[in-house]
Amino acid sequence: MTSKNNHKIVDHLFRHQFGKMVAILSKIFGLSNLELIEDAVQDTFLKASIKWRDKLPENPEAWLMKAAKNRVIDIFRQINAEKKRQVKISHGTITLEINDFFLDHEVADSQLRMIFVACHPALSKKEQIAFALKAISGFSMKEIAAALLQNEETIKKRLVRARQKIKDLNITLDYPTRDEIQPRMSGVLQIIYLIFNEGFHSTKPDLLVSKDLCGEAIRLCKLLLLKENFRSGSLYALFALLCFHASRLDSKLINKEIIDLKHQDRSKWYLPLIVLGNDALRKSREFDDPSIYYIEAAIASEHVKAIDFKHTNWQRILTLYEEMYQIMPSDSILLSKANIYLQINQLKKAKTTLDQINRATLNQRGYLLNGCYSAYHEKCGDIQKALEELNFAIQGCSNLFEKQYLENKKNLLLTTL
Amino acid sequence: MKEFMMIFIGADYEELGLSPEKLQEQMGKWFSWGDKMQEQGILKGGAALVAKGKRVSGADRVESDGPFVESKELVGGYYTVAAHSFEEVMKIAEDYPDYDLGGSVEIREIIKFDK
C-alpha cells in the first residue's frame, strides 16, 4: 500500500469521460464499430476503478485518455488480425496520428459531431434521446431507463435500433452541409430541451428533480455555443431558458417537499446562473431568428426578475404566452394562461380559457387541468367543487411529491369547509 | 497486536455491468475506506486480483484455466490490517463498499511464525 494520497476526483468524471472517449474513438474507427467502442471504454473504467484504489494517478483524466488510446491500438490490431491483413501503418505512425485526435479542441469537435449523429432525422425522437444519453452523456442503460421511466429492455431495443440505423444508412460523423446545419440544429435543440425537461419535470415517482439530466442538457448547450457557426438566436435563447430554470432547482424541492413558485425562497435562487441566463438572452436578440425558446426564456426571465410572487409582471407574461400561442397553438399554453388569469383574479377569463382545453392533449399532465379548475372553484368560493377537482387531480398524478403537494392543499381546503 | 486478512468475495464489477457513474461512486467509497485505515495506521497491505487465472492440481500437475468458481464466490482482493481482535476487524469491515452489490468479507487471522 502506498502513502496516503489525495483522492479527490471531479464529480461525474467517468460519465463525462465516457462520452468524450466514445466520440473520439468513433471518429477514428467509424460509427459502425460503436458497440465495440462503448465496450472498450467501459473496460477502461473497470480497470481504473480497481487500479486507482491503491494509488490515484496524478492526472486521472490523462490516465483514462491514455488507457483508451492503448485500447484503440489494441482494437486496431484485433480488427486487422481478424481481416488477416497486414497493419498498413507502422505502430509509431498510428500512435502519432491517434495523439492528434486527443487534443482538447478535437475532443470537443468529436462530441459536437456526435450530437448531430444523435439528432439524425432517420432516428425517432425516442431513439434520439436514448442514443444521446448513452453515447454522448455516458448514462448506463439502467440510468436511462430510470430517467425516462421505461424499462431497461425498451431502452436496450431503442439503442439497438438506433445503432442499426446508423449502420444501415451509413451515417458518418461528418457535420451536415452548410445549408443543412440550421434545420438539423432545430432537432438538436429540441433534444436538449427534452433532456432538460425529463430532468426538471421528472415523473420518476421518488425523485422530482433529476439534476443530472438538467446538467447534461446545459453542458451540451454550452458545447454547441463554443462553435461560432452554430450560434443562433434560438441556441442562445435555449441556453438562457435552461439557466433560468436551473437556477431554481435547489429551491423547488426542500425536505422531499415540493415548493411552488409562489412560496419558493427567491434569495436561494442561484444568482450566477441567472446572470448567465440574462447574458445569453441579450445575445440571442442580436440574431434574427425568433423562436419559442426565446419567448419561453423571456417568460422565465420575468419570474426571475420579480422581487416576489406578488410583483410578477403578469400582464407582460400574458402577452408573451399569446405570442407563443400564435406561433405554436397548444393546450398547455392555454393552461398556463388560465393560471395567470387566476393569479390576477380575472376569473371569467380563466374559466373560458380552461373550457377550451381538450384534456386528452395534455397526456399524463392532465391532472394539472383538474388542479387549475380546483383553484378556480376555490376562488369562486365553491369549496365542494374545488375539492372534487382536487381529488381528480390527486388520482391522475403519478409523481409522489406532486401528489403530496396536492394532498396538503386538500387538507387546507378541508379546514375552510 | 495481531494481523488479520479481510478477503473480499463476490461483487465482480465486470459481471455486474456497473455504469461509469456507479463505478466512480464505488471507487470513491474504496478511497475513503483506504484513507481511513491509513490514517489510523492499521493498514498493512492489500491487493486486487484479476478474475481469470490458472490452476495446477494433483500429482500429475494438471493445468486448467480459471475462473473456477461462480463470480459471486470469486475472491476479488484482500487487505491485511493490524488489530487486537476479530471484533475490531469486524468493525473495520463495516465500511467495505460492496455489500449492496452482493459482496462479502471473510476475516481470517494471519499466523505469525517465529523468526
Side-chain angles (χ1 to χ4, degrees):
Chain A
M1 283 291 132
T2 53
S3 61
K4 178 166 167 42
N5 55 74
N6 185 17
H7 275 144
K8 234 19 221 143
I9 296 195
V10 196
D11 282 343
H12 311 304
L13 174 73
F14 277 18
R15 175 182 282 168
H16 290 166
Q17 287 297 311
F18 182 93
K20 283 188 189 176
M21 294 187 197
V22 166
I24 299 164
L25 300 191
S26 302
K27 205 170 175 184
I28 301 174
F29 287 110
L31 278 171
S32 53
N33 291 309
L34 191 57
E35 207 172 350
L36 190 79
I37 291 166
E38 285 177 349
D39 288 348
V41 174
Q42 173 74 9
D43 237 42
T44 310
F45 290 122
L46 262 171
K47 279 209 189 89
S49 76
I50 292 172
K51 256 203 173 121
W52 294 5
R53 271 180 214 168
D54 196 32
K55 189 180 191 310
L56 194 66
E58 206 124 302
N59 182 346
E61 212 165 319
W63 189 98
L64 288 173
M65 279 297 180
K66 197 173 159 210
K69 243 189 277 187
N70 291 337
R71 213 49 213 149
V72 171
I73 295 168
D74 273 354
I75 298 175
F76 232 121
R77 287 203 188 115
Q78 220 177 307
I79 291 174
N80 274 306
E82 274 167 23
K83 288 183 180 160
K84 293 202 165 87
R85 264 191 308 169
Q86 277 303 102
V87 182
K88 276 186 204 144
I89 333 161
S90 75
H91 186 94
T93 334
I94 300 174
T95 319
L96 206 72
E97 274 189 7
I98 289 171
N99 271 330
D100 287 346
F101 283 104
F102 286 82
L103 296 171
D104 275 353
H105 66 274
E106 283 292 333
V107 174
D109 184 68
S110 305
Q111 282 202 285
L112 281 174
R113 288 165 191 265
M114 207 61 162
I115 296 178
F116 280 94
V117 172
C119 298
H120 196 281
L123 309 189
S124 74
K125 278 278 160 302
K126 285 173 174 173
E127 287 160 9
Q128 290 180 352
I129 296 185
F131 182 84
L133 287 177
K134 171 83 188 167
I136 305 167
S137 310
F139 282 61
S140 72
M141 223 120 58
K142 203 172 182 172
E143 286 161 346
I144 300 172
L148 303 185
L149 241 159
Q150 301 286 337
N151 61 40
E152 268 183 77
E153 201 48 41
T154 311
I155 298 300
K156 196 174 167 187
K157 273 186 202 146
R158 280 182 201 168
L159 288 172
V160 169
R161 256 201 315 270
R163 279 198 212 105
Q164 197 56 46
K165 280 183 186 169
I166 288 169
K167 246 188 213 170
D168 292 348
L169 298 171
N170 210 358
I171 296 172
T172 58
L173 270 171
D174 296 320
Y175 283 120
T177 54
R178 188 171 276 277
D179 42 327
E180 236 182 288
I181 282 188
Q182 281 315 323
R184 281 286 281 285
M185 261 320 238
S186 77
V188 172
L189 299 191
Q190 206 183 348
I191 284 300
I192 294 177
Y193 183 71
L194 286 174
I195 291 176
F196 187 89
N197 274 338
E198 285 295 344
F200 198 68
H201 301 292
S202 171
T203 41
K204 214 167 137 188
D206 57 349
L207 187 69
L208 179 73
V209 178
S210 177
K211 280 193 199 170
D212 282 358
L213 287 178
C214 297
E216 259 325 284
I218 291 181
R219 194 179 71 94
L220 296 179
C221 233
K222 263 164 80 180
L223 211 55
L224 287 169
L225 280 171
L226 288 177
K227 197 129 176 154
E228 213 177 326
N229 48 349
F230 288 166
R231 292 178 196 156
S232 66
S234 20
L235 178 57
Y236 272 114
L238 176 62
F239 186 62
L241 174 64
L242 303 191
C243 289
F244 289 141
H245 280 338
S247 74
R248 296 196 287 114
L249 271 175
D250 282 334
S251 355
K252 218 179 132 187
L253 191 72
I254 292 170
N255 294 329
K256 298 198 166 188
E257 206 174 301
I258 162 178
I259 315 286
D260 59 23
L261 199 53
K262 194 171 181 175
H263 298 100
Q264 284 173 17
D265 178 354
R266 296 187 177 217
S267 68
K268 293 240 165 64
W269 291 357
Y270 191 60
L271 192 64
L273 275 174
I274 296 176
V275 173
L276 212 57
N278 279 329
D279 194 42
L281 198 60
R282 236 192 334 271
K283 284 224 179 70
S284 79
R285 287 192 208 109
E286 292 168 13
F287 296 80
D288 53 4
D289 57 322
S291 63
I292 293 283
Y293 304 121
Y294 179 78
I295 302 176
E296 267 198 69
I299 293 171
S301 88
E302 285 301 328
H303 286 302
V304 170
K305 239 186 270 174
I307 188 156
D308 57 31
F309 190 74
K310 214 171 59 210
H311 287 87
T312 311
N313 187 346
W314 295 115
Q315 218 48 55
R316 162 98 179 119
I317 294 181
L318 261 181
T319 316
L320 287 165
Y321 272 123
E322 263 145 32
E323 266 179 50
M324 195 191 272
Y325 195 79
Q326 296 305 318
I327 307 177
M328 187 190 69
S330 94
D331 281 358
S332 39
I333 297 174
L334 291 180
L335 188 65
S336 305
K337 272 176 75 180
N339 239 323
I340 294 169
Y341 285 131
L342 284 174
Q343 298 307 338
I344 53 177
N345 285 315
Q346 300 201 10
L347 301 184
K348 248 198 186 131
K349 275 192 176 158
K351 176 79 163 55
T352 3
T353 314
L354 284 175
D355 287 345
Q356 288 173 48
I357 296 174
N358 172 7
R359 195 180 196 285
T361 60
L362 297 174
N363 293 325
Q364 75 268 53
R365 299 183 72 75
Y367 68 93
L368 291 174
L369 182 60
N370 297 114
C372 216
Y373 267 118
S374 170
Y376 165 76
H377 291 306
E378 186 193 345
K379 290 220 171 197
C380 294
D382 192 340
I383 305 296
Q384 274 308 341
K385 271 196 175 157
L387 275 170
E388 233 170 76
E389 290 288 347
L390 206 49
N391 279 331
F392 282 130
I394 291 170
Q395 275 168 31
C397 176
S398 64
N399 183 308
L400 284 186
F401 295 123
E402 290 187 28
K403 217 174 189 132
Q404 188 55 49
Y405 172 82
L406 294 170
E407 292 279 3
N408 292 347
K409 225 170 176 177
K410 181 178 161 185
N411 290 334
L412 213 66
L413 268 186
L414 282 169
T415 59
T416 64
L417 262 183
Chain B
M1 196 77 110
K2 295 170 181 169
E3 274 194 25
F4 294 86
M5 184 179 275
M6 293 187 287
I7 303 164
F8 311 127
I9 298 165
D12 180 6
Y13 288 1
E14 186 164 1
E15 182 85 3
L16 290 163
L18 300 187
S19 71
E21 191 73 3
K22 183 75 181 158
L23 277 171
Q24 184 172 349
E25 191 191 319
Q26 290 309 109
M27 191 176 64
K29 288 179 187 165
W30 279 98
F31 288 171
S32 46
W33 190 31
D35 286 351
K36 189 172 160 189
M37 290 188 283
Q38 200 90 249
E39 266 162 36
Q40 294 168 336
I42 54 175
L43 194 58
K44 294 295 169 194
L49 303 174
V50 175
K52 278 184 207 152
K54 298 250 183 213
R55 177 176 281 177
V56 184
S57 51
D60 293 340
R61 274 65 163 173
V62 176
E63 292 173 15
S64 45
D65 288 326
F68 309 97
V69 290
E70 278 183 61
S71 64
K72 63 175 194 294
E73 293 164 2
L74 199 69
V75 174
Y78 69 90
Y79 273 144
T80 48
V81 288
H84 294 98
S85 63
F86 270 107
E87 284 66 31
E88 237 180 76
V89 188
M90 265 145 60
K91 190 89 196 134
I92 297 168
E94 276 174 16
D95 288 332
Y96 166 69
D98 294 342
Y99 291 117
D100 295 346
L101 302 173
S104 51
V105 181
E106 186 176 315
I107 302 168
R108 307 273 290 270
E109 189 179 341
I110 295 172
I111 299 174
K112 281 197 177 158
F113 296 101
D114 296 330
K115 297 243 165 80

